Amino acid sequence: MQQKTKLFLRALKYSIPHLGKCMQKQHLNHCNLADHYYNRIKLKKYHLTKCLQSKPKISELARNIPSRSFSCKDLLPIKQENEKSLSENMDAFEKVRTRLETQPQEEYEIINAEVKHGGFVYYQEGCCLVRSKDEEADNDNYEVLFNLEELKLDQPFIDCIRVAPDEKYVAAKIRTDDSEASTCIVVKLSDQPIMEASFPNVSSFEWVKDEEDEDVLFYTFQRNLRCHDVYRATFGDNKRNERFYTEKDPSYFVFLYLTKDSRFLTINIMNKTTSEVWLIDGLSPWDPPVLIQKRIHGVLYYVEHRDDELYILTNVGEPTEFKLMRTAADTPAIMNWDLFFTMKRNTKVVDLDMFKDHCVLFLKHSNLLYVNVIGLADDSVRSLKDGKLVPMTVFHKTDSEVLQKKPLLVHVYGAYGMDLKMNFRPERRVLVDDGWILAYCHVRGGGELGLQWHADGRLTKKLNGLADLEACIKTLHGQGFSQPSLTTLTAFSAGGVLVGALCNSNPELLRAVTLEAPFLDVLNTMMDTTLPLTLEELEEWGNPSSDEKHKSYIKHYCPYQNIKPQHYPSVHITAYENDERVPLKGIVNYTEKLKEAVMEYSKNTGEGYQTPNIILDIQPGGNHVIEDSHKKITAQIKFLYEELGLDSTSVFEDLKKYLKF
């Protein structure tokens, strides 16, 4: 079973480029996705193509990167003796794996030399290169572009397909079972497609379009399993074929790769331990290539591109595992590379794929395959204070319409170098199901970006976290996620400092706030050395008793100290009677002072002014935070729905499915 499962996951992995292009136009749920790839697996009884049996290591991609088909002839067939009935709720991928397992024990071939371009899908059907309209790809209604038998090869098959940008030409690499030698044919697409040219011993090849809208084919020439030469060719009235680059070091080989967005063609020169990459401008392919980084012994790197930035997968520096780095496309040298994402130790990078808003890493750790999806769009904002990039995570239903009219719940913490908790609890699930947007702001003071990220948000830099939070909320609104009248903010414990400070400085950004065991009276707490945690937390907040600078700075942002008569959002506070970490006295004092300020402000407003609700809910017990309190959860959700004027009937019905009342 594990062997067959591995085969299926390989098929899914090798098909990701096709998936990425499909997803731009249509939505695929898990069931459709699984069925789509299951239908690409064809049973083969008498003939088995000798093709790539396992994906090459990343350092060996040059030899096989165009290849997209492989067999499982090396896998031992396993007979399942006792089949169990499938549950209706079984995961779609489990269903497909089971379908594979219950097929007759024959050998399988993954038919994957397939490319979607424009409104057509190009693939092999029998001994022909064909294309069909995208919506008819699974039918037998196709157009024959070229008959492979014309090459007079023994049992030829298509190993790779590339379509020219404007679909005037299609190129295909053709191999046979008994040889690694390959021929690249170029077919002119017209009412009667004809073979325009053929090139022997081609390894990798890619199309670009020049300034005159002329299609240019770049390809590498392979001789005796060595690939050192790069050629470029044009067709039609301006036909030419010229050698473009030759690698003189025999220990290196060369392969071509077009970045996912087609912006750059990369010339990758590498051996087992060292690489060098040159960029060819996809808009000006006749210009000289640009070197990213001259080869350094022991340094491997591979390049993708998105929005004028290069994403570089490399092993440079410590630890020796691969890491993802980023730099501007116009400053590609290694001294400009910034660390973007690190892998766990002992993690192998199988592959990287770039999408419009995400980077997908295919990884292997402890002999298990998994996928890591890194958000690239709207995943960070610039702080209003100093322009620092601040990570942010946003959840919402994919079918949500008019997000600007949806309620928003923002989460923040930003203290002690601790990551903001994003565990998906039942109450958060029902909110998303009911159309809410959940946003998590990873502001300075937390631990998401390491020790320096914490240092930049503590002591006399605490206001950085407040600036980050304000920037996150304004960016969400600016990007069309909700609006101030539908925006709520939540935090617990030390996160209350930033929430309380924002309520004082920018209350117009919020409609309602929920706080749990919040730290709101920083100054008085840190001056009271009889409290159990005061001395321990001097490194986080400062020592106002002995340092006037610390005292003045804390006064500047402390929520309790800065309450004033003005409009405030409605506030719901949950406190615990015997909480030793955040004394109840400080919370009560804050609540009373806030109510007084609200009442004073309301006296000077007109008749139509809606006074915000200030609620203090004191729970019995001594725990700092009781996460699973049903009473607490329902009270907070009820408060949010009432303040935003939303119907909470369905959300409480859904909540009952997860919580035992």
Side-chain angles (χ1 to χ4, degrees):
M1 182 63 177
Q2 290 180 342
Q3 302 262 17
K4 294 288 178 66
T5 300
K6 184 177 180 182
L7 170 64
F8 172 72
L9 291 176
R10 280 188 189 169
L12 185 60
K13 160 65 195 83
Y14 270 77
S15 303
I16 285 293
H18 173 82
L19 169 63
K21 295 173 183 175
C22 287
M23 288 180 67
Q24 295 175 6
K25 290 194 173 183
Q26 61 181 349
H27 173 70
L28 291 177
N29 60 32
H30 289 302
C31 293
N32 292 337
L33 175 65
D35 289 339
H36 174 80
Y37 286 106
Y38 178 80
N39 291 333
R40 305 309 305 161
I41 300 173
K42 299 183 178 180
L43 189 62
K44 198 162 189 181
K45 295 182 179 179
Y46 304 110
H47 171 68
L48 183 66
T49 301
K50 292 180 180 176
C51 45
L52 188 60
Q53 296 184 3
S54 62
K55 189 179 186 300
K57 295 179 181 178
I58 198 162
S59 60
E60 299 171 344
L61 283 173
R63 302 186 186 278
N64 293 305
I65 196 168
S67 182
R68 291 293 186 187
S69 59
F70 51 89
S71 71
C72 65
K73 61 181 286 186
D74 56 322
L75 304 182
L76 296 175
I78 301 173
K79 202 78 171 180
Q80 185 177 20
E81 296 180 359
N82 299 316
E83 298 181 4
K84 296 182 179 179
S85 60
L86 293 176
S87 168
E88 292 182 359
N89 297 328
M90 184 181 292
D91 180 87
F93 291 102
E94 290 293 341
K95 290 182 180 180
V96 175
R97 284 196 280 263
T98 304
R99 289 166 70 180
L100 283 172
E101 182 66 19
T102 56
Q103 286 286 347
Q105 298 304 313
E106 306 281 355
E107 292 179 326
Y108 291 85
E109 179 189 6
I110 307 303
I111 309 299
N112 232 120
E114 177 181 290
V115 169
K116 180 179 180 291
H117 190 101
F120 292 92
V121 178
Y122 296 77
Y123 56 99
Q124 179 178 349
E125 187 67 36
C127 284
C128 295
L129 170 63
V130 304
R131 71 173 177 179
S132 63
K133 292 183 179 179
D134 189 17
E135 63 272 14
E136 301 174 354
D138 292 328
N139 301 330
D140 291 331
N141 186 16
Y142 53 79
E143 175 189 5
V144 175
L145 304 178
F146 181 76
N147 190 335
L148 275 57
E149 292 179 345
E150 294 183 25
L151 299 176
K152 302 186 184 304
L153 299 173
D154 182 26
Q155 297 180 338
F157 67 92
I158 298 177
D159 191 52
C160 183
I161 301 171
R162 294 289 186 268
V163 184
D166 56 4
E167 288 192 278
K168 291 181 181 178
Y169 300 96
V170 58
K173 189 173 78 169
I174 300 168
R175 292 176 52 197
T176 63
D177 284 353
D178 56 3
S179 174
E180 290 198 29
S182 59
T183 299
C184 179
I185 62 165
V186 178
V187 177
K188 183 177 181 180
L189 300 174
S190 59
D191 293 338
Q192 294 183 336
I194 59 172
M195 186 174 73
E196 182 83 7
S198 67
F199 305 104
N201 302 316
V202 170
S203 177
S204 58
F205 59 104
E206 299 285 356
W207 290 99
V208 294
K209 182 188 288 188
D210 67 11
E211 303 92 324
E212 305 298 327
D213 287 338
E214 184 175 39
D215 294 313
V216 184
L217 180 69
F218 285 78
Y219 66 92
T220 55
F221 179 78
Q222 181 172 294
R223 182 188 295 110
N224 297 326
L225 300 181
R226 295 180 179 179
C227 197
H228 294 152
D229 297 316
V230 181
Y231 288 78
R232 58 187 173 191
T234 57
F235 309 95
D237 297 335
N238 188 25
K239 183 177 292 186
R240 54 180 159 176
N241 185 28
E242 61 185 24
R243 185 163 58 183
F244 173 70
Y245 174 86
T246 297
E247 173 56 38
K248 297 180 180 179
D249 189 331
S251 68
Y252 286 78
F253 54 90
V254 182
F255 73 94
L256 304 175
Y257 173 73
L258 188 66
T259 58
K260 190 70 178 288
D261 60 1
S262 301
R263 182 63 179 82
F264 291 103
L265 176 66
T266 63
I267 303 176
N268 299 268
I269 307 157
M270 59 192 304
N271 59 23
K272 299 293 185 182
T273 61
T274 305
S275 64
E276 177 179 287
V277 181
W278 294 73
L279 293 180
I280 296 175
D281 192 332
L283 303 177
S284 304
W286 301 105
D287 291 348
V290 175
L291 175 65
I292 292 183
Q293 174 58 47
K294 185 177 180 180
R295 64 194 74 172
I296 301 173
H297 180 71
V299 174
L300 292 165
Y301 68 98
Y302 312 87
V303 178
E304 259 292 358
H305 175 267
R306 174 188 174 273
D307 287 351
D308 296 325
E309 289 185 315
L310 300 178
Y311 289 82
I312 302 167
L313 190 65
T314 179
N315 67 339
V316 68
E318 295 294 336
T320 55
E321 282 84 0
F322 276 95
K323 50 199 73 72
L324 191 61
M325 307 189 85
R326 182 167 61 178
T327 185
D330 56 358
T331 56
I334 195 170
M335 71 280 295
N336 300 311
W337 297 0
D338 292 325
L339 184 62
F340 181 66
F341 185 82
T342 57
M343 321 297 171
K344 295 180 182 178
R345 286 191 175 274
N346 303 318
T347 296
K348 176 182 178 181
V349 179
V350 179
D351 206 350
L352 175 150
D353 205 0
M354 187 70 67
F355 295 88
K356 178 184 177 182
D357 296 330
H358 299 86
C359 174
V360 180
L361 288 166
F362 298 87
L363 307 172
K364 188 175 184 180
H365 182 72
S366 298
N367 208 34
L368 296 176
L369 292 172
Y370 65 98
V371 175
N372 201 328
V373 181
I374 307 170
L376 301 176
D378 300 330
D379 65 332
S380 61
V381 299
R382 292 196 179 274
S383 175
L384 300 177
K385 183 178 180 182
D386 55 9
K388 193 77 170 180
L389 284 171
V390 183
M392 182 164 55
T393 305
V394 180
F395 292 95
H396 64 84
K397 292 175 68 175
T398 57
D399 59 351
S400 293
E401 297 180 359
V402 194
L403 288 172
Q404 192 173 15
K405 297 181 180 180
K406 298 294 183 181
L408 167 66
L409 178 59
V410 180
H411 300 71
V412 71
Y413 187 71
Y416 304 118
M418 295 174 59
D419 292 3
L420 175 61
K421 289 185 178 181
M422 295 199 302
N423 49 319
F424 216 65
R425 299 184 53 77
E427 61 270 25
R428 297 173 185 173
R429 166 68 184 272
V430 297
L431 289 177
V432 172
D433 288 344
D434 203 39
W436 283 68
I437 304 165
L438 303 187
Y440 296 82
C441 305
H442 310 287
V443 303
R444 279 174 284 185
E448 287 85 354
L449 298 183
L451 295 177
Q452 189 60 50
W453 195 249
H454 172 219
D456 287 344
R458 67 184 183 93
L459 296 177
T460 56
K461 295 183 178 180
K462 182 59 68 175
L463 285 172
N464 285 339
L466 177 61
D468 295 350
L469 176 60
E470 180 184 345
C472 285
I473 296 175
K474 288 183 176 180
T475 299
L476 285 166
H477 294 161
Q479 293 290 331
F481 291 98
S482 195
Q483 52 189 291
S485 62
L486 293 173
T487 297
T488 63
L489 180 58
T490 186
F492 77 95
S493 193
V497 173
L498 297 182
V499 173
L502 184 68
C503 288
N504 289 331
S505 62
N506 284 280
E508 69 280 358
L509 293 177
L510 307 168
R511 178 66 184 86
V513 167
T514 65
L515 295 169
E516 185 173 359
F519 187 26
L520 297 166
D521 189 358
V522 183
L523 183 62
N524 289 326
T525 300
M526 294 308 299
M527 293 186 70
D528 186 353
T529 57
T530 64
L531 295 174
L533 295 181
T534 296
L535 295 178
E536 182 180 322
E537 297 191 356
L538 293 178
E539 292 299 319
E540 179 70 24
W541 307 101
N543 190 347
S545 297
S546 61
D547 191 320
E548 283 298 322
K549 181 181 178 182
H550 286 175
K551 184 177 182 179
S552 175
Y553 191 84
I554 292 173
K555 273 187 177 181
H556 190 58
Y557 71 79
C558 175
Y560 177 77
Q561 298 293 328
N562 290 279
I563 293 175
K564 56 193 173 187
Q566 63 173 12
H567 172 71
Y568 277 91
S570 293
V571 179
H572 183 285
I573 301 175
T574 303
Y576 298 94
E577 189 175 12
N578 299 316
D579 191 339
E580 293 182 343
R581 292 180 177 272
V582 180
L584 181 60
K585 178 182 177 181
I587 297 176
V588 171
N589 290 341
Y590 172 87
T591 305
E592 291 178 352
K593 186 175 181 180
L594 182 60
K595 286 182 177 180
E596 291 174 0
V598 166
M599 293 305 297
E600 184 176 346
Y601 178 75
S602 64
K603 293 177 182 178
N604 300 321
T605 57
E607 294 182 359
Y609 179 71
Q610 183 178 355
T611 304
N613 295 307
I614 310 299
I615 300 172
L616 175 58
D617 180 14
I618 301 176
Q619 298 282 324
N623 285 344
H624 181 48
V625 174
I626 304 177
E627 292 189 352
D628 296 324
S629 169
H630 299 163
K631 182 180 178 182
K632 176 201 71 177
I633 293 172
T634 54
Q636 291 174 346
I637 291 181
K638 183 174 182 290
F639 170 79
L640 292 177
Y641 272 78
E642 288 179 349
E643 291 299 323
L644 270 59
L646 303 175
D647 183 5
S648 61
T649 304
S650 61
V651 75
F652 282 114
E653 289 298 321
D654 291 339
L655 195 59
K656 289 179 182 179
K657 300 175 184 177
Y658 301 102
L659 301 178
K660 296 179 181 179
F661 288 92

